[in-house]
Coordinates of all heavy atoms in Angstrom, one line a residue:
A107 N -27.0 11.8 -30.2 CA -26.7 12.0 -28.8 C -26.4 13.5 -28.5 O -25.9 14.2 -29.4 CB -25.5 11.2 -28.4
P108 N -26.7 14.0 -27.3 CA -26.4 15.4 -27.0 C -24.9 15.6 -26.9 O -24.2 14.7 -26.9 CB -27.1 15.5 -25.6 CG -27.2 14.2 -25.1 CD -27.4 13.3 -26.2
P109 N -24.5 16.9 -26.8 CA -23.1 17.2 -26.8 C -22.4 16.4 -25.7 O -22.8 16.4 -24.6 CB -23.1 18.7 -26.6 CG -24.4 19.2 -27.0 CD -25.4 18.1 -26.7
G110 N -21.2 15.9 -26.1 CA -20.4 15.2 -25.1 C -20.9 13.8 -24.7 O -20.3 13.1 -23.9
S111 N -22.0 13.4 -25.3 CA -22.5 12.0 -25.1 C -22.0 11.1 -26.2 O -21.3 11.5 -27.1 CB -24.0 12.0 -25.0 OG -24.5 12.8 -23.9
V112 N -22.5 9.9 -26.1 CA -22.0 8.9 -27.1 C -23.2 8.1 -27.6 O -24.2 8.0 -27.0 CB -21.0 7.9 -26.4 CG1 -19.8 8.6 -26.0 CG2 -21.6 7.1 -25.2
I113 N -23.0 7.6 -28.8 CA -24.0 6.7 -29.4 C -24.1 5.5 -28.5 O -23.1 5.0 -27.9 CB -23.6 6.3 -30.8 CG1 -23.6 7.5 -31.8 CG2 -24.5 5.2 -31.4 CD1 -23.1 7.2 -33.1
N114 N -25.3 4.9 -28.4 CA -25.4 3.8 -27.5 C -24.9 2.5 -28.1 O -25.6 1.5 -28.3 CB -26.9 3.6 -27.1 CG -27.1 2.6 -26.0 OD1 -26.2 2.3 -25.2 ND2 -28.3 2.1 -25.9
Q115 N -23.7 2.5 -28.5 CA -23.0 1.3 -29.0 C -21.8 1.1 -28.1 O -20.8 1.9 -28.1 CB -22.5 1.4 -30.4 CG -21.8 0.1 -30.8 CD -21.2 0.1 -32.2 OE1 -21.6 0.9 -33.0 NE2 -20.2 -0.7 -32.4
N116 N -21.9 0.1 -27.2 CA -20.8 -0.1 -26.3 C -19.7 -0.9 -26.9 O -19.8 -1.3 -28.1 CB -21.3 -0.7 -25.0 CG -20.9 0.1 -23.8 OD1 -19.8 0.5 -23.7 ND2 -21.8 0.2 -22.8
V117 N -18.7 -1.2 -26.1 CA -17.6 -2.0 -26.6 C -18.0 -3.4 -27.0 O -18.7 -4.1 -26.2 CB -16.4 -2.0 -25.6 CG1 -15.3 -2.9 -26.0 CG2 -15.9 -0.6 -25.4
T118 N -17.7 -3.8 -28.2 CA -18.1 -5.2 -28.6 C -17.0 -5.9 -29.4 O -16.2 -5.2 -30.0 CB -19.4 -5.1 -29.5 OG1 -19.7 -6.4 -30.1 CG2 -19.1 -4.1 -30.7
T119 N -17.0 -7.2 -29.3 CA -15.9 -7.9 -30.0 C -16.4 -8.3 -31.4 O -15.7 -9.0 -32.2 CB -15.6 -9.2 -29.2 OG1 -16.8 -10.0 -29.0 CG2 -14.9 -8.9 -27.9
T120 N -17.6 -8.0 -31.8 CA -18.2 -8.3 -33.1 C -17.7 -7.2 -34.1 O -18.2 -6.1 -34.1 CB -19.7 -8.3 -33.1 OG1 -20.1 -9.3 -32.1 CG2 -20.2 -8.7 -34.4
T121 N -16.7 -7.6 -34.9 CA -16.1 -6.6 -35.8 C -17.1 -5.9 -36.7 O -17.1 -4.7 -36.9 CB -15.0 -7.3 -36.6 OG1 -14.0 -7.8 -35.7 CG2 -14.4 -6.3 -37.6
A122 N -18.0 -6.7 -37.2 CA -19.0 -6.2 -38.1 C -19.9 -5.1 -37.5 O -20.2 -4.1 -38.1 CB -20.0 -7.3 -38.6
D123 N -20.2 -5.2 -36.2 CA -20.9 -4.2 -35.5 C -20.1 -2.9 -35.3 O -20.7 -1.8 -35.4 CB -21.4 -4.7 -34.1 CG -22.5 -5.8 -34.2 OD1 -23.0 -6.0 -35.3 OD2 -22.7 -6.5 -33.2
V124 N -18.8 -3.1 -35.1 CA -18.0 -1.9 -34.9 C -17.9 -1.1 -36.3 O -18.1 0.1 -36.3 CB -16.6 -2.2 -34.5 CG1 -15.7 -1.0 -34.3 CG2 -16.7 -3.0 -33.1
I125 N -17.7 -1.9 -37.4 CA -17.6 -1.2 -38.7 C -18.9 -0.6 -39.1 O -19.0 0.5 -39.6 CB -17.2 -2.3 -39.7 CG1 -15.7 -2.8 -39.4 CG2 -17.2 -1.6 -41.1 CD1 -14.7 -1.7 -39.4
S126 N -20.0 -1.3 -38.7 CA -21.3 -0.7 -39.0 C -21.6 0.6 -38.2 O -22.1 1.5 -38.8 CB -22.4 -1.8 -38.7 OG -23.7 -1.2 -38.8
G127 N -21.2 0.6 -36.9 CA -21.3 1.8 -36.1 C -20.5 2.9 -36.7 O -21.0 4.1 -36.7
I128 N -19.3 2.7 -37.2 CA -18.5 3.7 -37.8 C -19.2 4.2 -39.1 O -19.3 5.4 -39.3 CB -17.1 3.2 -38.1 CG1 -16.3 2.9 -36.8 CG2 -16.3 4.2 -39.0 CD1 -15.0 2.2 -37.0
N129 N -19.7 3.3 -39.9 CA -20.3 3.7 -41.1 C -21.6 4.5 -40.9 O -22.0 5.3 -41.8 CB -20.6 2.5 -42.0 CG -19.3 1.9 -42.5 OD1 -18.3 2.5 -42.6 ND2 -19.4 0.6 -42.9
N130 N -22.3 4.3 -39.8 CA -23.6 4.9 -39.5 C -23.4 6.3 -38.9 O -24.4 7.0 -38.6 CB -24.4 4.0 -38.6 CG -25.0 2.8 -39.3 OD1 -25.1 2.8 -40.6 ND2 -25.2 1.7 -38.6
V131 N -22.2 6.7 -38.6 CA -22.0 8.1 -38.1 C -22.4 9.1 -39.1 O -22.0 9.0 -40.3 CB -20.5 8.3 -37.6 CG1 -20.3 9.7 -37.3 CG2 -20.2 7.4 -36.4
T132 N -23.2 10.1 -38.7 CA -23.6 11.1 -39.7 C -23.4 12.5 -39.0 O -23.4 12.6 -37.7 CB -25.1 11.0 -40.1 OG1 -25.9 11.0 -38.9 CG2 -25.2 9.7 -40.9
L133 N -23.4 13.5 -39.8 CA -23.3 14.9 -39.2 C -24.6 15.2 -38.4 O -25.7 14.7 -38.8 CB -23.1 15.9 -40.3 CG -21.8 15.8 -41.1 CD1 -21.8 16.9 -42.1 CD2 -20.6 16.0 -40.1
C134 N -24.5 16.1 -37.4 CA -25.7 16.4 -36.6 C -26.4 17.6 -37.2 O -27.2 18.3 -36.5 CB -25.3 16.6 -35.2 SG -24.1 18.0 -35.0
N135 N -26.2 17.9 -38.5 CA -26.9 19.0 -39.1 C -28.4 18.7 -39.1 O -28.8 17.6 -39.1 CB -26.4 19.2 -40.6 CG -25.1 19.9 -40.7 OD1 -24.8 20.7 -39.8 ND2 -24.3 19.6 -41.7
P136 N -29.3 19.7 -39.2 CA -29.0 21.1 -39.5 C -28.7 22.0 -38.3 O -28.4 23.2 -38.4 CB -30.2 21.6 -40.3 CG -31.3 20.9 -39.6 CD -30.8 19.5 -39.2
D137 N -28.9 21.5 -37.1 CA -28.9 22.4 -35.9 C -27.9 22.0 -34.9 O -28.2 21.5 -33.8 CB -30.3 22.4 -35.3 CG -30.4 23.5 -34.2 OD1 -29.5 24.4 -34.2 OD2 -31.4 23.5 -33.4
C138 N -26.6 22.2 -35.3 CA -25.6 22.0 -34.2 C -24.4 22.9 -34.5 O -23.3 22.5 -34.3 CB -25.1 20.5 -34.2 SG -24.4 19.9 -35.8
G139 N -24.7 24.1 -34.9 CA -23.7 25.1 -35.1 C -23.5 26.0 -33.9 O -24.0 25.8 -32.8
G140 N -22.8 27.1 -34.2 CA -22.6 28.1 -33.1 C -21.2 28.4 -33.0 O -20.5 28.7 -34.0
D141 N -20.6 28.4 -31.8 CA -19.2 28.7 -31.6 C -18.3 27.5 -32.1 O -18.8 26.4 -32.3 CB -18.9 29.1 -30.2 CG -19.2 28.0 -29.2 OD1 -19.9 27.0 -29.6 OD2 -18.8 28.1 -28.1
F142 N -17.1 27.8 -32.3 CA -16.2 26.9 -32.9 C -15.8 25.7 -32.0 O -15.8 24.6 -32.5 CB -14.9 27.6 -33.4 CG -14.0 26.7 -34.3 CD1 -14.5 26.3 -35.5 CD2 -12.8 26.4 -33.9 CE1 -13.7 25.5 -36.4 CE2 -12.0 25.6 -34.8 CZ -12.4 25.1 -36.0
P143 N -15.4 25.9 -30.7 CA -15.0 24.7 -29.9 C -16.1 23.7 -29.8 O -17.3 24.0 -29.8 CB -14.7 25.4 -28.6 CG -14.5 26.8 -28.8 CD -15.4 27.1 -30.0
E144 N -15.7 22.4 -29.8 CA -16.7 21.3 -29.7 C -16.4 20.6 -28.3 O -15.4 20.8 -27.7 CB -16.5 20.3 -30.8 CG -16.5 21.0 -32.2 CD -17.7 21.7 -32.6 OE1 -18.7 21.6 -31.9 OE2 -17.7 22.5 -33.6
S145 N -17.4 19.8 -27.9 CA -17.3 19.2 -26.6 C -16.5 18.0 -26.5 O -16.9 17.0 -25.9 CB -18.8 19.0 -26.1 OG -19.5 20.2 -26.0
A146 N -15.3 18.0 -27.1 CA -14.5 16.8 -27.1 C -14.1 16.4 -25.7 O -14.1 15.2 -25.3 CB -13.3 17.0 -28.0
N147 N -13.7 17.4 -24.9 CA -13.3 17.0 -23.5 C -14.3 16.3 -22.7 O -14.1 15.3 -22.1 CB -12.9 18.3 -22.8 CG -11.5 18.7 -23.0 OD1 -10.9 18.5 -24.0 ND2 -10.9 19.3 -22.0
T148 N -15.6 16.8 -22.8 CA -16.7 16.1 -22.1 C -16.9 14.7 -22.6 O -17.1 13.8 -21.9 CB -17.9 17.0 -22.2 OG1 -17.7 18.3 -21.8 CG2 -19.1 16.3 -21.4
A149 N -16.9 14.6 -24.0 CA -17.1 13.3 -24.6 C -16.0 12.3 -24.2 O -16.3 11.1 -23.8 CB -17.1 13.4 -26.1
I150 N -14.8 12.7 -24.2 CA -13.7 11.8 -23.8 C -13.9 11.3 -22.3 O -13.7 10.2 -22.0 CB -12.3 12.5 -24.0 CG1 -12.1 12.7 -25.5 CG2 -11.2 11.6 -23.4 CD1 -11.0 13.6 -25.8
E151 N -14.2 12.3 -21.5 CA -14.4 11.9 -20.0 C -15.5 10.9 -19.9 O -15.4 10.0 -19.1 CB -14.7 13.2 -19.2 CG -14.8 12.9 -17.7 CD -15.1 14.1 -16.9 OE1 -15.5 15.1 -17.4 OE2 -15.0 14.0 -15.7
L152 N -16.7 11.2 -20.6 CA -17.8 10.3 -20.5 C -17.5 8.9 -21.0 O -17.9 7.9 -20.4 CB -19.0 10.9 -21.3 CG -19.7 12.0 -20.6 CD1 -20.8 12.6 -21.5 CD2 -20.4 11.6 -19.3
V153 N -16.8 8.8 -22.1 CA -16.4 7.5 -22.6 C -15.5 6.8 -21.7 O -15.7 5.6 -21.4 CB -15.7 7.6 -24.0 CG1 -15.1 6.3 -24.5 CG2 -16.8 8.1 -25.0
A154 N -14.5 7.5 -21.1 CA -13.6 6.9 -20.2 C -14.3 6.3 -19.0 O -14.0 5.2 -18.5 CB -12.5 7.9 -19.7
E155 N -15.3 7.0 -18.5 CA -16.0 6.6 -17.3 C -17.1 5.6 -17.5 O -17.5 4.9 -16.5 CB -16.5 7.8 -16.5 CG -15.4 8.8 -16.0 CD -16.0 10.1 -15.4 OE1 -17.2 10.4 -15.7 OE2 -15.2 10.7 -14.7
N156 N -17.6 5.5 -18.7 CA -18.9 4.8 -18.9 C -18.8 3.7 -19.9 O -19.7 2.8 -19.9 CB -20.0 5.7 -19.2 CG -20.3 6.7 -18.1 OD1 -20.8 6.3 -17.1 ND2 -20.1 8.0 -18.4
A157 N -17.8 3.6 -20.8 CA -17.8 2.5 -21.7 C -17.6 1.2 -21.0 O -17.0 1.2 -19.9 CB -16.7 2.8 -22.8
S158 N -18.0 0.1 -21.6 CA -17.9 -1.2 -21.0 C -16.5 -1.8 -21.3 O -16.4 -2.8 -21.9 CB -19.0 -2.1 -21.5 OG -18.9 -2.3 -22.9
W159 N -15.5 -1.2 -20.7 CA -14.1 -1.7 -20.9 C -14.0 -3.1 -20.4 O -14.5 -3.3 -19.2 CB -13.1 -0.7 -20.3 CG -13.2 0.7 -20.7 CD1 -13.7 1.7 -19.9 CD2 -12.9 1.3 -21.9 NE1 -13.6 2.9 -20.6 CE2 -13.1 2.7 -21.8 CE3 -12.3 0.8 -23.1 CZ2 -12.9 3.5 -22.9 CZ3 -12.1 1.6 -24.2 CH2 -12.4 3.0 -24.0
R160 N -13.3 -4.0 -21.1 CA -13.2 -5.3 -20.6 C -12.1 -5.4 -19.5 O -11.0 -4.7 -19.7 CB -12.9 -6.3 -21.7 CG -14.0 -6.4 -22.7 CD -13.6 -7.3 -23.9 NE -12.5 -6.7 -24.7 CZ -11.8 -7.3 -25.7 NH1 -12.1 -8.5 -26.0 NH2 -10.9 -6.6 -26.3
P161 N -12.2 -6.2 -18.5 CA -11.1 -6.4 -17.5 C -9.8 -6.8 -18.2 O -9.8 -7.7 -19.0 CB -11.7 -7.5 -16.6 CG -13.2 -7.4 -16.8 CD -13.4 -7.1 -18.2
G162 N -8.8 -6.1 -17.9 CA -7.5 -6.4 -18.4 C -7.2 -6.0 -19.8 O -6.2 -6.3 -20.4
S163 N -8.1 -5.2 -20.4 CA -7.9 -4.7 -21.8 C -6.9 -3.6 -21.8 O -6.8 -2.8 -20.9 CB -9.2 -4.3 -22.4 OG -9.8 -3.2 -21.7
N164 N -6.2 -3.5 -23.0 CA -5.4 -2.3 -23.3 C -6.3 -1.3 -24.0 O -6.8 -1.6 -25.1 CB -4.2 -2.7 -24.1 CG -3.3 -3.7 -23.4 OD1 -2.4 -3.3 -22.6 ND2 -3.5 -5.0 -23.6
R165 N -6.5 -0.2 -23.4 CA -7.6 0.7 -23.8 C -7.1 1.9 -24.6 O -6.2 2.6 -24.1 CB -8.4 1.1 -22.6 CG -9.0 -0.1 -21.9 CD -9.4 0.1 -20.5 NE -9.8 -1.1 -19.8 CZ -10.2 -1.2 -18.6 NH1 -10.2 -0.1 -17.8 NH2 -10.6 -2.4 -18.1
F166 N -7.8 2.2 -25.7 CA -7.5 3.4 -26.5 C -8.8 4.1 -26.8 O -9.9 3.5 -27.2 CB -6.9 2.9 -27.8 CG -5.5 2.3 -27.6 CD1 -5.4 1.0 -27.4 CD2 -4.4 3.1 -27.8 CE1 -4.2 0.4 -27.2 CE2 -3.1 2.5 -27.6 CZ -3.0 1.1 -27.3
I167 N -8.8 5.4 -26.8 CA -9.8 6.3 -27.4 C -9.2 7.0 -28.5 O -8.2 7.7 -28.4 CB -10.4 7.3 -26.3 CG1 -11.2 6.6 -25.2 CG2 -11.4 8.3 -27.0 CD1 -11.7 7.5 -24.1
F168 N -9.8 6.9 -29.7 CA -9.4 7.6 -30.9 C -10.4 8.7 -31.1 O -11.6 8.5 -31.4 CB -9.4 6.7 -32.1 CG -8.4 5.6 -32.0 CD1 -8.7 4.3 -31.4 CD2 -7.1 5.7 -32.5 CE1 -7.8 3.3 -31.3 CE2 -6.2 4.7 -32.4 CZ -6.5 3.5 -31.8
A169 N -10.0 10.0 -31.0 CA -10.8 11.1 -31.2 C -10.5 11.8 -32.5 O -9.4 12.1 -32.8 CB -10.6 12.1 -30.0
F170 N -11.6 12.1 -33.3 CA -11.5 12.8 -34.6 C -12.2 14.1 -34.6 O -13.4 14.2 -34.3 CB -12.1 11.9 -35.7 CG -11.6 10.5 -35.7 CD1 -11.9 9.5 -34.8 CD2 -10.6 10.2 -36.7 CE1 -11.4 8.2 -34.9 CE2 -10.1 8.9 -36.8 CZ -10.5 7.9 -35.9
S171 N -11.5 15.2 -34.9 CA -12.2 16.5 -34.9 C -11.4 17.5 -35.8 O -10.2 17.2 -36.1 CB -12.3 17.1 -33.5 OG -13.0 18.3 -33.5
D172 N -12.0 18.6 -36.1 CA -11.3 19.7 -36.8 C -11.3 21.0 -36.0 O -11.0 22.0 -36.6 CB -12.0 19.9 -38.2 CG -13.4 20.5 -38.1 OD1 -14.0 20.3 -37.0 OD2 -13.9 21.1 -39.1
A173 N -11.7 20.9 -34.8 CA -11.9 22.1 -34.0 C -11.2 22.0 -32.6 O -10.9 20.9 -32.2 CB -13.4 22.4 -33.8
S174 N -11.1 23.2 -32.0 CA -10.6 23.2 -30.6 C -11.7 22.5 -29.7 O -12.8 22.3 -30.1 CB -10.3 24.6 -30.2 OG -11.5 25.4 -30.3
S175 N -11.2 22.2 -28.5 CA -12.1 21.4 -27.6 C -12.6 22.3 -26.4 O -11.9 23.2 -26.0 CB -11.3 20.2 -27.0 OG -12.1 19.5 -26.2
K176 N -13.7 21.9 -25.9 CA -14.3 22.6 -24.7 C -15.0 21.5 -23.8 O -15.0 20.3 -24.2 CB -15.2 23.7 -25.0 CG -16.5 23.2 -25.7 CD -17.5 24.3 -26.0 CE -18.8 23.8 -26.7 NZ -19.7 24.9 -27.0
G177 N -15.5 22.0 -22.7 CA -16.3 21.0 -21.8 C -15.5 20.8 -20.6 O -15.1 21.7 -19.9
S178 N -15.4 19.5 -20.2 CA -14.8 19.1 -18.9 C -13.4 19.7 -18.8 O -12.6 19.8 -19.8 CB -14.7 17.6 -18.8 OG -16.0 17.0 -18.9
A179 N -13.0 20.0 -17.6 CA -11.7 20.6 -17.3 C -10.6 19.5 -17.7 O -10.8 18.3 -17.5 CB -11.5 20.9 -15.8
D180 N -9.5 20.0 -18.2 CA -8.4 19.1 -18.6 C -8.0 18.1 -17.4 O -7.8 16.9 -17.7 CB -7.2 19.9 -19.0 CG -7.3 20.5 -20.4 OD1 -8.3 20.3 -21.0 OD2 -6.3 21.2 -20.8
A181 N -8.0 18.7 -16.2 CA -7.6 17.8 -15.1 C -8.5 16.7 -14.9 O -8.1 15.5 -14.5 CB -7.4 18.7 -13.8
D182 N -9.8 16.9 -15.1 CA -10.9 15.9 -14.9 C -10.7 14.8 -16.0 O -10.9 13.6 -15.7 CB -12.3 16.5 -14.9 CG -12.5 17.4 -13.7 OD1 -11.8 17.3 -12.7 OD2 -13.4 18.3 -13.8
V183 N -10.5 15.3 -17.2 CA -10.3 14.3 -18.3 C -9.1 13.4 -18.1 O -9.1 12.2 -18.3 CB -10.3 15.0 -19.7 CG1 -10.1 14.0 -20.8 CG2 -11.5 15.9 -19.9
I184 N -8.0 14.1 -17.7 CA -6.8 13.3 -17.5 C -6.9 12.3 -16.4 O -6.5 11.2 -16.5 CB -5.6 14.3 -17.2 CG1 -5.3 15.2 -18.4 CG2 -4.4 13.6 -16.7 CD1 -4.3 16.3 -18.1
A185 N -7.6 12.7 -15.3 CA -7.9 11.8 -14.2 C -8.8 10.6 -14.6 O -8.5 9.5 -14.2 CB -8.5 12.6 -13.0
A186 N -9.8 10.9 -15.5 CA -10.7 9.8 -15.9 C -9.9 8.8 -16.8 O -10.1 7.6 -16.7 CB -11.8 10.4 -16.7
L187 N -9.0 9.4 -17.7 CA -8.2 8.5 -18.5 C -7.3 7.6 -17.7 O -7.1 6.4 -17.9 CB -7.5 9.3 -19.5 CG -8.3 10.0 -20.6 CD1 -7.4 11.0 -21.4 CD2 -8.9 9.1 -21.6
A188 N -6.6 8.3 -16.7 CA -5.7 7.6 -15.9 C -6.4 6.5 -15.0 O -5.8 5.4 -14.8 CB -5.0 8.5 -15.0
A189 N -7.6 6.8 -14.5 CA -8.3 5.8 -13.7 C -8.6 4.5 -14.4 O -8.6 3.5 -13.8 CB -9.6 6.5 -13.2
E190 N -8.8 4.6 -15.7 CA -9.2 3.4 -16.5 C -8.0 2.9 -17.3 O -8.1 2.0 -18.1 CB -10.4 3.7 -17.4 CG -11.6 4.0 -16.7 CD -12.1 2.8 -15.8 OE1 -11.8 1.7 -16.2 OE2 -12.8 3.1 -14.9
G191 N -6.8 3.6 -17.2 CA -5.6 3.1 -18.0 C -5.8 3.3 -19.5 O -5.4 2.4 -20.2
I192 N -6.4 4.4 -19.9 CA -6.7 4.6 -21.3 C -5.7 5.5 -22.0 O -5.3 6.6 -21.4 CB -8.1 5.3 -21.4 CG1 -9.2 4.4 -20.9 CG2 -8.4 5.6 -22.9 CD1 -10.5 5.1 -20.7
R193 N -5.2 5.1 -23.2 CA -4.4 5.9 -24.0 C -5.2 6.7 -25.0 O -6.1 6.1 -25.7 CB -3.3 5.1 -24.7 CG -2.5 4.3 -23.8 CD -1.6 3.3 -24.6 NE -0.7 2.5 -23.8 CZ -1.1 1.3 -23.3 NH1 -2.2 0.8 -23.7 NH2 -0.2 0.6 -22.6
L194 N -5.0 8.0 -25.1 CA -5.8 8.8 -26.0 C -5.0 9.1 -27.3 O -3.8 9.4 -27.2 CB -6.1 10.2 -25.3 CG -6.9 11.2 -26.1 CD1 -8.3 10.7 -26.5 CD2 -7.0 12.5 -25.3

Side-chain angles (χ1 to χ4, degrees):
S111 294
V112 296
I113 294 174
N114 189 24
Q115 180 188 334
N116 232 320
V117 175
T118 174
T119 56
T120 304
T121 299
D123 288 348
V124 180
I125 298 300
S126 176
I128 292 171
N129 291 337
N130 288 334
V131 170
T132 58
L133 295 180
C134 59
N135 284 333
D137 188 15
C138 60
D141 60 348
F142 191 63
E144 313 298 349
S145 298
N147 272 32
T148 304
I150 292 167
E151 182 182 16
L152 284 173
V153 170
E155 294 176 342
N156 296 294
S158 58
W159 306 108
R160 293 176 296 171
S163 63
N164 297 274
R165 301 163 184 175
F166 295 85
I167 294 176
F168 296 89
F170 303 79
S171 181
D172 66 340
S174 55
S175 181
K176 66 179 181 180
S178 300
D180 284 0
D182 293 338
V183 180
I184 292 170
L187 292 170
E190 296 296 334
I192 299 167
R193 302 174 182 91
L194 178 62

